[in-house]
Amino acid sequence: MMFEALLSVAITTAVLLGSPGPAPLALAATAASQGVKKGFPFLAGILTGLLVAVIFAATGVAGLLVSHPQVTLMLKWLAAAYLIYVAYKIAANNAALGSAGAQLPSFKDGFILNLLNPKAYAACIAIFSTASVLGKLKPSCYATCR
């Protein structure tokens, strides 16, 4: 029973977080233009931003945003502007390949990209709302699993 619950969560997570979105596409563009090794700091930032998004979704910060539509709208505009900035940075790097002025997206760029990524929050909320591993455990396991 526990294995089935964990397998269900793993498959749901892989499907939701593995699908194309702004972070994987920006990472693929960076790796294609600059090489895989040079994109590792950007990847580390993306994963750290995803971790923060998971924590925000798990603790209910998303519920606070829903109750304050003005803040949500402001964050959407900030996210859109930042996505345009990262897209420009990647495109400028493609044009400047081989020149000394080319700058790679950094850890900070990846972190902010995924921190402002609405797909990350939607996926995390979907995973947390549909999959409860503790709910599938036997009642005698609750004391040892907490």
Side-chain angles (χ1 to χ4, degrees):
M1 191 87 138
M2 177 71 162
F3 177 74
E4 292 171 2
L6 288 174
L7 182 64
S8 173
V9 170
I11 291 171
T12 304
T13 303
V15 169
L16 288 173
L17 296 179
S19 62
L25 293 177
L27 185 61
T30 301
S33 68
Q34 303 294 327
V36 174
K37 287 184 181 180
K38 291 183 180 178
F40 278 135
F42 188 51
L43 172 63
I46 287 173
L47 294 177
T48 305
L50 178 61
L51 177 64
V52 172
V54 167
I55 291 168
F56 282 175
T59 58
V61 172
L64 291 174
L65 292 176
V66 169
S67 64
H68 294 87
Q70 298 85 2
V71 175
T72 304
L73 182 62
M74 181 186 70
L75 287 176
K76 285 180 184 179
W77 282 106
L78 283 172
Y82 191 74
L83 288 174
I84 291 169
Y85 164 74
V86 170
Y88 170 77
K89 194 169 181 179
I90 291 169
N93 278 336
N94 283 338
L97 273 178
S99 72
Q103 287 185 331
L104 293 170
S106 65
F107 176 89
K108 178 187 76 164
D109 294 328
F111 178 76
I112 294 172
L113 174 66
N114 231 10
L115 190 63
L116 298 176
N117 182 0
K119 180 188 169 260
Y121 291 98
C124 292
I125 291 168
I127 291 166
F128 290 136
S129 67
T130 60
S132 173
V133 175
L134 286 179
K136 310 245 189 286
L137 295 175
K138 294 178 184 175
S140 61
C141 291
Y142 285 126
T144 59
C145 295
R146 285 188 198 180

